[in-house]
């Protein structure tokens, strides 16, 4: 059996087209959705992510601001800039690219962003709202995964879901969203015993670990839907996911590739959240 590919590029193009139409309608009323991105330091991967986010905004007819700071910047400077952006009515979304340098208290930085502009959905108030089943902003990566499951018509009610990874940005919010759709959710992590025992039970398997090709075909239930969130590089420098695509696609029913899977959807849902924030200013 060869799995059906859930194509993140194709779905992204479709959703971004819809967002561009909504952004144009808003612009006609004098509101151009605007995302402000703050980057601290010189991490090359972060710089690429920020560049992609800014470019995606512009392509969708949204405005973006980019502030780049030296790695040794005084955190007070960044806090002051966040306060300025919070108060600026022409800015609808604010995102601080993680990870921040060690001398920053990352949690305090995320809490400084106004919850109404927290398009990443990482502010404690927004995390709480998601937990209560009443989200203001859904974190972009899990949001993108939900869209992919929906577009692929994957049945959720009562499905056995196993998520590998328990981070605040992927694993935990992913679990909340799937639980809200009446899935039975298991979260695995580095201390889980017998990972394959869990993954083999999954109708839907979400890998969000950051270890190249660690989920192999023999760890997958035949016919399962496999969502690969991981972004890793092989020793040869090629991008790859947490799932060993070659063996997994022979067992899974549907699978997301890397690249071209969850990655583009993450940026798309960031645009969706920014647009949503801008639309709310009208209500
Ligand atoms: P974190 O490093 O924050 O979390 C990784 C998780 O994996 C932790 O919960 C850790 O467990 C768990 N883990 C580590 N080793 C094992 C193991 N051997 N068995 C089971 N679980 C293990 O990563 P993120 O959640 O931020 O990101 C995960 C991956 O997703 C990365 O590759 C990242 O680049 C990618 N990513 C991709 C995005 C996209 O747009 N496609 C967006 C965000 C992230 P423990 O908690 O016990 O340490």
């Amino acid at each position: 059996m060869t799995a059906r590919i859930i194509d993140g590029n194709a779905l992204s193009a479709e959703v971004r087209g819809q967002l561009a139409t909504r952004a144009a309608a808003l612009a006609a009323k004098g509101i151009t959705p605007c995302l402000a991105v703050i980057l601290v330091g010189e991490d090359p991967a972060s710089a690429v992510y920020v560049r992609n986010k800014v470019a995606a905004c512009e392509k969708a007819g949204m405005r973006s601001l980019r502030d780049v700071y030296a790695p040794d910047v005084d955190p007070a400077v960044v806090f002051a800039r966040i306060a300025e952006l919070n108060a600026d009515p022409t800015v609808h979304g604010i995102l601080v690219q993680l990870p921040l340098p060690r001398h920053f208290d990352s949690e305090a930085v995320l809490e400084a962003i106004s919850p109404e502009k927290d398009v990443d959905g990482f502010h404690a108030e927004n995390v709480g709202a998601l937990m209560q089943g009443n989200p203001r902003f859904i974190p972009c990566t899990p949001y993108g995964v939900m869209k992919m499951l929906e577009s692929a018509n994957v049945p959720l009610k009562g499905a056995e879901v196993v998520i590998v990874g328990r981070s605040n940005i992927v694993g935990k919010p992913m679990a909340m969203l799937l639980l809200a759709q009446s899935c039975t959710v298991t979260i695995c992590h580095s201390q889980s015993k017998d990972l394959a025992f869990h993954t083999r039970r999954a109708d839907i398997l979400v890998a969000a670990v950051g270890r190249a090709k660690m989920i192999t075909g023999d760890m997958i239930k035949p016919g399962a839907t496999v969502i690969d969130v991981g972004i890793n590089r092989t020793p040869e420098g090629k991008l790859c996911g947490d799932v060993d695509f070659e063996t997994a696609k022979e067992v899974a029913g549907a699978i997301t590739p890397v690249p071209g899977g969850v990655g583009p959807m993450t940026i798309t849902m960031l645009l969706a959240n920014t647009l949503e924030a801008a639309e709310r200013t009208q209500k």
Side-chain angles (χ1 to χ4, degrees):
M1 183 166 77
T2 299
R4 183 159 56 102
I5 305 297
I6 306 177
D7 183 341
N9 283 328
L11 182 59
S12 268
E14 186 188 321
V15 177
R16 286 186 201 192
Q18 295 160 0
L19 297 176
T21 306
R22 273 166 61 192
L26 205 57
K29 295 179 189 165
I31 302 169
T32 304
C34 176
L35 173 69
V37 183
I38 293 176
L39 172 65
V40 184
E42 289 155 354
D43 176 48
S46 293
V48 172
Y49 292 145
V50 166
R51 209 179 312 132
N52 290 345
K53 287 168 185 175
V54 166
C57 272
E58 274 147 30
K59 262 189 142 171
M62 302 188 193
R63 211 160 64 85
S64 63
L65 303 174
R66 174 168 42 178
D67 287 285
V68 182
Y69 296 98
D72 59 352
V73 67
D74 181 346
V77 173
V78 175
F79 280 106
R81 180 60 178 149
I82 292 174
E84 207 173 82
L85 294 167
N86 281 341
D88 183 343
T90 68
V91 171
H92 306 100
I94 303 170
L95 177 158
V96 177
Q97 184 65 43
L98 300 176
L100 286 165
R102 281 168 176 275
H103 67 290
F104 273 80
D105 176 349
S106 298
E107 221 167 277
V109 171
L110 296 179
E111 297 309 297
I113 297 171
S114 159
E116 282 79 22
K117 298 188 180 186
D118 168 40
V119 284
D120 258 341
F122 296 161
H123 191 289
E125 193 178 304
N126 291 331
V127 173
L130 177 69
M131 185 95 176
Q132 287 179 325
N134 188 23
R136 181 191 271 133
F137 292 112
I138 299 173
C140 305
T141 300
Y143 196 0
V145 171
M146 294 307 286
K147 284 278 175 202
M148 294 178 101
L149 292 171
E150 186 189 316
S151 81
N153 292 315
V154 177
L156 298 182
K157 203 170 174 182
E160 286 287 341
V161 172
V162 173
I163 300 167
V164 190
R166 57 174 163 181
S167 72
N168 288 338
I169 65 171
V170 188
K172 286 183 199 163
M174 190 76 257
M176 285 302 130
L177 292 171
L178 289 162
L179 190 59
Q181 295 303 316
S182 300
C183 297
T184 303
V185 181
T186 302
I187 308 177
C188 297
H189 45 76
S190 68
Q191 306 307 306
S192 297
K193 290 185 185 130
D194 197 353
L195 182 63
F197 163 79
H198 295 286
T199 59
R200 280 190 201 117
R201 288 190 304 107
D203 300 316
I204 301 171
L205 177 61
V206 181
V209 180
R211 289 176 63 138
K213 303 185 185 186
M214 72 169 284
I215 306 284
T216 45
D218 60 322
M219 298 169 74
I220 295 168
K221 178 176 172 178
T225 299
V226 178
I227 305 288
D228 191 355
V229 178
I231 301 178
N232 311 289
R233 287 210 180 262
T234 63
E236 300 78 45
K238 263 184 75 181
L239 272 188
C240 74
D242 291 343
V243 176
D244 179 33
F245 188 80
E246 289 309 313
T247 56
K249 78 174 189 332
E250 299 305 323
V251 186
I255 189 166
T256 65
V258 177
V262 177
M265 284 306 291
T266 295
I267 298 189
T268 298
M269 301 331 288
L270 173 66
L271 300 180
N273 281 346
T274 304
L275 177 62
E276 179 75 33
E279 287 173 342
R280 283 178 196 158
T281 62
Q282 287 193 298
K283 290 173 186 161

